[in-house]
Amino acid sequence: MDNLTPNDMSAVIEADRAHVWHHLLPHKPLETNDPRIIVEGKGMRVWDQKGKEHLDAVSGGVWTVNVGYGRVEIADAVRDQLVKMNYFAQSAGSIPGSRFAEMLTAKMPGLKRVYYANSGSEANEKAFKMVRQISARHHGGRKWKILYRERDYHGTTIACLSAGGQQERNAQYGPYTPGFVAVPHCLEYRKADQGWGDVEDYGRRAADAIEEVILREGPDTVGALCLEPITAGGGVIVPPEGYWARVQEICEKYDILLHIDEVVCGVGRTGTWFGYQHYGVKPDFVTMAKGVASGYAAISCCVTSERVFEQFKDAPDDPMHYFRDISTFGGCTAGPAAAVANMEIIEREDLLENCTAMGDYMLEQLRAMADRHDVIGQARGKGLFLGAELVSDRDDRTPAPEKQVQAVVADCMAQGVIIGATNRSVPGHNNTLCFSPALIATKDDIDEILEAVDGALGRVFG
């Protein structure tokens, strides 16, 4: 901020208004209101063009800046690497690419191969293409279908939207890629909506619903099952006890590859390196992006087992046998250089332990807040990945109106605290407040977030 004069900022604002097409933002209001420009960040704080300070409780807006802002060591690592060697197509290797692949897979027993790309959507596309090529080469084209779960989200490309369980994200972008089939979700708080009756072991029942879809479609047609370990934008949904064990059992029974989308949960967000590691499952694919480099460089990874990798090198005399795919910017060295430094920070500062401790504290306080605010139907989450579903009536669990949920977000923003909420996701169910502060969060940071939410709920809902 010190280097920018008011005239400089006026020019920036007008350039933004005239030329920038923002993400997830209606632009009509910007004809009469200034766009928000985030100018600087340090630790958990960011400052806008007016110099107003905000505590960021959503890590860059979309669960990304896991180690906080202003990490000089990451910036230096990227700068030093770019001066030495900035780019070569990933058909060749790089020093940071090799180093990070080794570091990463050491955290992921059973997985050995890292395919680099530059966004979560792209990483998921790679896994989808691998499944299709395995089907074509090893199953006569039969096991081509990919199952996805309602409320889950896997990216913005047409194929990823085809695997997306959020109707409002998908709307108006069809027709979609064929071969993607939905399975029911596992949100126990809304089990009454699923018509399963009084279920004693809900986790197992929700997983059995996946098997029912497999049997309906034909097990010999299903190649993979793609799930978030904990659903993010669909409502911050932690699977119930018994769910993941049964999912693993089903995949093994029908020879279905298990693809876990860790784009949000990966690299510490839930208190473990990866969200799936809370549940003891053994995936065939794990995709990741956001927290891999905490937003200091663009990078995503599709990590696979050797079992998957071997299926692309079994016929070296066939010019079509290998994975004929490229991600241009998967060859950038900035991403893995930043990712190495990011992972070293998480280890050195014990941020997984801090994430668990601060997440437990925040969840406990959110649940206590429900004693004061009937509008909180359920607080849930794991680590520093938390949500509070808001309802108009606790008895029948009617979702709170979306406008009021967004009013809570706006009230917190006015207080200088940035929180999130599910939006353009599931029709009639965009009613969950979302929290994902950086893994460096202190108790004082958490208390400041909670105080802002407490006041906003009181003002909006009374």
Side-chain angles (χ1 to χ4, degrees):
M1 288 292 291
D2 295 341
N3 297 323
L4 294 173
T5 68
N7 288 336
D8 289 328
M9 290 312 303
S10 176
V12 168
I13 289 166
E14 290 311 311
D16 185 287
R17 194 197 315 275
H19 302 294
V20 176
W21 195 329
H22 289 277
H23 303 179
L24 290 175
L25 189 71
H27 283 68
K28 188 66 176 176
L30 298 186
E31 294 178 2
T32 53
N33 297 292
D34 285 349
R36 178 176 285 108
I37 310 293
I38 301 299
V39 177
E40 187 174 348
K42 187 69 175 175
M44 294 272 295
R45 313 276 167 168
V46 297
W47 287 263
D48 67 16
Q49 74 265 33
K50 297 178 181 178
K52 182 175 178 179
E53 178 181 323
H54 298 81
L55 174 59
D56 180 6
V58 282
S59 294
V62 286
W63 309 300
T64 298
V65 188
N66 283 9
V67 299
Y69 298 97
R71 291 288 192 165
V72 174
E73 58 265 58
I74 302 181
D76 285 347
V78 171
R79 186 263 178 202
D80 292 347
Q81 177 58 47
L82 294 183
V83 170
K84 185 174 183 179
M85 182 65 196
N86 67 305
Y87 175 86
F88 199 89
Q90 191 60 25
S91 53
S94 72
I95 291 173
S98 300
R99 281 193 64 208
F100 183 63
E102 183 177 44
M103 289 176 69
L104 180 61
T105 53
K107 311 293 187 192
M108 309 174 75
L111 300 174
K112 292 187 66 175
R113 297 286 173 169
V114 180
Y115 192 99
Y116 286 115
N118 58 257
S119 73
S121 300
E122 195 179 6
N124 286 329
E125 287 267 0
K126 305 309 179 189
F128 297 158
K129 288 178 70 175
M130 290 175 187
V131 170
R132 292 286 172 87
Q133 190 169 341
I134 287 170
S135 170
R137 286 193 49 75
H138 300 284
H139 301 287
R142 292 186 305 277
K143 290 179 78 69
W144 68 293
K145 294 177 185 175
I146 296 170
L147 306 184
Y148 66 92
R149 188 171 56 191
E150 295 167 355
R151 286 183 175 252
D152 279 10
Y153 176 76
H154 301 296
T156 62
T157 64
I158 295 298
C160 288
L161 289 177
S162 304
Q166 300 177 5
Q167 298 95 314
E168 290 187 350
R169 293 274 188 213
N170 298 5
Q172 303 176 10
Y173 298 122
Y176 305 110
T177 306
F180 290 89
V181 181
V183 301
H185 208 283
C186 58
L187 175 52
E188 191 166 9
Y189 184 69
R190 299 232 162 251
K191 63 183 179 181
D193 299 343
Q194 292 171 307
W196 295 337
D198 187 17
V199 177
E200 184 174 335
D201 187 348
Y202 178 80
R204 185 176 181 87
R205 178 65 188 89
D208 284 344
I210 298 173
E211 184 175 38
E212 291 167 6
V213 173
I214 293 168
L215 293 173
R216 183 194 73 202
E217 296 292 321
D220 63 337
T221 72
V222 178
L225 170 65
C226 179
L227 304 172
E228 291 184 274
I230 297 171
T231 295
V236 190
I237 300 161
V238 179
E241 186 176 350
Y243 180 80
W244 272 111
R246 178 65 177 139
V247 167
Q248 183 84 67
E249 183 180 287
I250 290 167
C251 288
E252 291 174 354
K253 180 178 180 179
Y254 297 108
D255 189 25
I256 292 171
L257 297 169
L258 179 56
H259 169 188
I260 298 183
D261 178 349
E262 293 269 359
V263 169
V264 172
C265 294
V267 196
R269 173 55 53 193
T270 68
T272 51
W273 284 108
F274 295 94
Y276 76 87
Q277 292 171 342
H278 290 288
Y279 306 108
V281 292
K282 299 176 181 178
D284 299 285
F285 305 91
V286 175
T287 48
M288 64 194 75
K290 299 183 185 295
V292 173
S294 288
Y296 284 83
I299 181 174
S300 69
C301 306
C302 176
V303 185
T304 77
S305 64
E306 201 71 358
R307 169 197 176 195
V308 168
F309 180 73
E310 288 293 328
Q311 295 184 71
F312 292 88
K313 52 182 286 194
D314 65 314
D317 294 334
D318 180 354
M320 301 291 281
H321 79 288
Y322 63 98
F323 190 47
R324 302 175 315 283
D325 178 275
I326 186 171
S327 168
T328 296
F329 294 112
C332 285
T333 60
V340 168
N342 183 71
M343 184 169 278
E344 288 174 343
I345 287 170
I346 293 172
E347 292 185 307
R348 183 173 67 247
E349 298 183 9
D350 296 325
L351 293 186
L352 297 184
E353 291 81 357
N354 188 67
C355 178
T356 298
M358 291 300 99
D360 288 347
Y361 172 72
M362 187 170 182
L363 183 57
E364 176 186 321
Q365 295 303 309
L366 284 169
R367 287 172 174 167
M369 196 182 296
D371 294 337
R372 300 190 297 278
H373 298 285
D374 289 345
V375 70
I376 298 179
Q378 185 183 54
R380 54 188 181 241
K382 195 174 284 291
L384 285 170
F385 182 36
L386 302 167
E389 181 165 351
L390 305 186
V391 295
S392 299
D393 186 306
R394 274 191 181 171
D395 292 333
D396 64 17
R397 303 183 177 182
T398 302
E402 185 174 343
K403 285 187 177 180
Q404 287 184 289
V405 177
Q406 291 297 332
V408 173
V409 176
D411 187 293
C412 288
M413 178 69 81
Q415 297 178 68
V417 175
I418 306 172
I419 69 169
T422 50
N423 67 92
R424 302 289 68 78
S425 179
V426 180
H429 290 272
N430 295 311
N431 63 313
T432 301
L433 300 179
C434 301
F435 310 97
S436 55
L439 311 187
I440 62 172
T442 66
K443 187 172 179 292
D444 286 344
D445 295 323
I446 301 301
D447 286 340
E448 186 175 343
I449 297 165
L450 293 165
E451 183 179 356
V453 173
D454 196 8
L457 290 173
R459 283 183 286 275
V460 173
F461 290 97

